[in-house]
Every structure is written in structure tokens, then in C-alpha cells.
Amino acid sequence: MLNKQQIRHCLDTFEEMFPEAECELTHSNPFELLVAVVLSAQATDALVNKVTPQLFEKYKKPEDYIAVPLEELQNDIKRIGLYRNKAKNIKKLSETLVEKFNGEVPPTKKELESLAGVGRKTANVVASVAFDEPAIAVDTHVERVSKRLAFCRWKDSVLEVEKTLMRKIPVEEWSVTHHRMIFFGRYHCKAQRPNCEECPLLFLCREGQKRMKKKEKSQ
Ligand code: SF4
């Protein structure tokens, strides 16, 4: 696994490559962010951003989602995968927000995780983006980049990846690193065709070196 100095170099490289990295889900308040993050499970941010402008125009507060029939909400989000369950969860979490949190999105990860359809990753994103809480949400990009770059072990679970990153990255850099790693994974170290040839981290990435050797052999 990479040592402290090598990880520092990776973090600095992420910053150089993606200094403006931020949450790409369109939202204008914590409630919209929460709904968008719930919708984004196993869906791309780009697709969610196509659906949410009309959705947020129609539904402005939790009470609006509570009042609408389930089938109508499902129909409004049916372009997004798992829409049946997501609609159920959005209605349920809206009820909890009204009953327990005065209609507001709670700021702590623990409270967020008590909401329907909100797991650790979603809670981390909302706490970090909406409330500036230090957090590292491990999505598919963060997990892949962490493993390819040997920040952690290949066999680590998502929770172990998160804990390792929290241990190895200074707390004040958790949130920004999370966004930069997502951008690095989304636009550079892609799942199918990582751009190893032009990667400034190739010299310390065994996965990238392996891929390059394989490519050379096949040419
Ligand atoms: S060398 Fe390749 S696998 Fe390694 S971090 Fe760069 S793009 Fe990703």
C-alpha cells in the first residue's frame, strides 16, 4: 500500500487536475440535495440532473411528496433506475422529516441515516455538501481509485475503504478529496478505460503499470 508521502503526492495531484471538483448534482437547498442523492443510487448524476428540474419545480417541500399518490411520483421519476423503490423511500423519508425533524433535513450523519433510503454514503454526501461536515462518501469512483492506487487493499469492503481513507487523509481534506477522487475516477481513471498512458500517477500505480505492460505485449 502507498505510504504517507505517496498519498500526499496523490492528493496534490488530484487537486492540480481537478481544483474545482464539487458535487455535480443540481440542487438549491439541503432537501433537494437529499432527494437528488437518493435518486442517484446506481444512476449517473447526469441522468438525475435531467429529471430533477421538473421534479423540484413540482415538489418543493416534504409535504408535497407526502400528498402525491405513489404511482404519480413513480411516474415522475421513472427514467431513473429503481424508481419504484426510490419513490417509496422519498415519500417515507418526507414523512419522517415532517414527523421528527420539523420538515427540515437534519445535519448529522446519524440522523440522516435514520431516513428511508439513506445509507452511509448518502448521509456522508448530504452532511458534507449541505452542512460542511467532514466526510468521505465512498461511491464506485472513490472505491475504484482507492483500490487501483493502493490507498487500501483490493479485498476491502466499502466501509473499510472509508475508514482507511479517514485514517490516511487529514480530516480538513476529507470532503474536498472525496469530490476530487470522484472527478479523477469519472473523467480520468475510468472503470473501463483508465487513461494510464497520460496519468501523472502512473509511476506509483501498480495497477496502471500492469495495464500498460499488458497493452505493450498485445501490440
Ligand atoms: S495509472 Fe491508470 S489505473 Fe493508475 S491511477 Fe492512473 S489512470 Fe488509474
Side-chain angles (χ1 to χ4, degrees):
M1 284 202 280
L2 297 193
N3 63 33
K4 221 174 155 187
Q5 204 185 358
Q6 290 167 323
I7 288 182
R8 181 71 261 162
H9 182 78
C10 291
L11 301 185
D12 292 342
T13 304
F14 297 153
E15 182 179 4
E16 275 165 34
M17 291 175 76
F18 302 104
E20 310 293 339
E22 58 180 9
C23 176
E24 291 197 298
L25 289 167
T26 310
H27 65 281
S28 59
N29 58 52
F31 182 56
E32 286 186 358
L33 175 67
L34 175 61
V35 172
V37 182
V38 168
L39 289 175
S40 73
Q42 293 182 45
T44 63
D45 288 2
L47 176 61
V48 173
N49 286 341
K50 281 188 188 149
V51 171
T52 47
Q54 299 93 309
L55 194 73
F56 295 160
E57 192 51 44
K58 182 171 173 183
Y59 306 94
K60 303 216 183 289
K61 50 190 192 307
E63 288 84 347
D64 299 332
Y65 289 101
I66 296 171
V68 74
L70 177 62
E71 295 70 30
E72 188 176 332
L73 180 56
Q74 285 175 334
N75 195 46
D76 288 336
I77 61 169
K78 71 169 185 245
R79 291 170 69 190
I80 301 176
L82 310 173
Y83 68 93
R84 287 194 180 86
N85 264 341
K86 287 176 183 174
K88 278 184 203 160
N89 284 334
I90 290 170
K91 277 180 78 63
K92 249 194 237 166
L93 73 82
S94 295
E95 285 167 13
T96 309
L97 291 182
V98 169
E99 282 163 18
K100 292 197 181 156
F101 300 105
N102 215 14
E104 301 291 328
V105 177
T108 69
K109 294 181 213 169
K110 199 174 166 201
E111 289 168 317
L112 285 161
E113 278 193 77
S114 73
L115 301 171
V118 178
R120 195 177 171 94
K121 189 194 82 178
T122 300
N124 276 339
V125 173
V126 175
S128 153
V129 175
F131 301 108
D132 281 334
E133 278 287 309
I136 300 183
V138 178
D139 73 347
T140 177
H141 301 297
V142 175
E143 182 181 3
R144 184 177 67 254
V145 169
S146 299
K147 290 183 175 178
R148 281 181 176 167
L149 275 169
F151 280 26
C152 60
R153 298 166 301 182
W154 276 102
K155 61 177 186 181
D156 283 348
S157 66
V158 170
L159 183 59
E160 284 167 334
V161 174
E162 183 187 327
K163 288 188 171 163
T164 303
L165 293 178
M166 287 164 77
R167 225 178 31 248
K168 295 186 172 180
I169 297 171
V171 62
E172 63 278 11
E173 293 182 55
W174 287 357
S175 295
V176 74
T177 300
H178 153 242
H179 292 304
R180 287 174 187 156
M181 284 180 89
I182 288 177
F183 273 54
F184 186 80
R186 188 177 282 158
Y187 301 113
H188 178 80
C189 185
K190 297 178 188 178
Q192 297 306 329
R193 297 166 113 205
N195 188 4
C196 303
E197 276 138 332
E198 294 172 36
C199 185
L201 297 177
L202 179 62
F203 76 99
L204 49 75
C205 178
R206 297 211 8 218
E207 173 64 21
Q209 290 160 13
K210 230 166 46 191
R211 283 170 179 267
M212 292 298 288
K213 266 193 201 137
K214 211 169 150 193
K215 203 175 168 190
E216 277 164 25
K217 267 191 198 160
S218 68
Q219 279 170 353

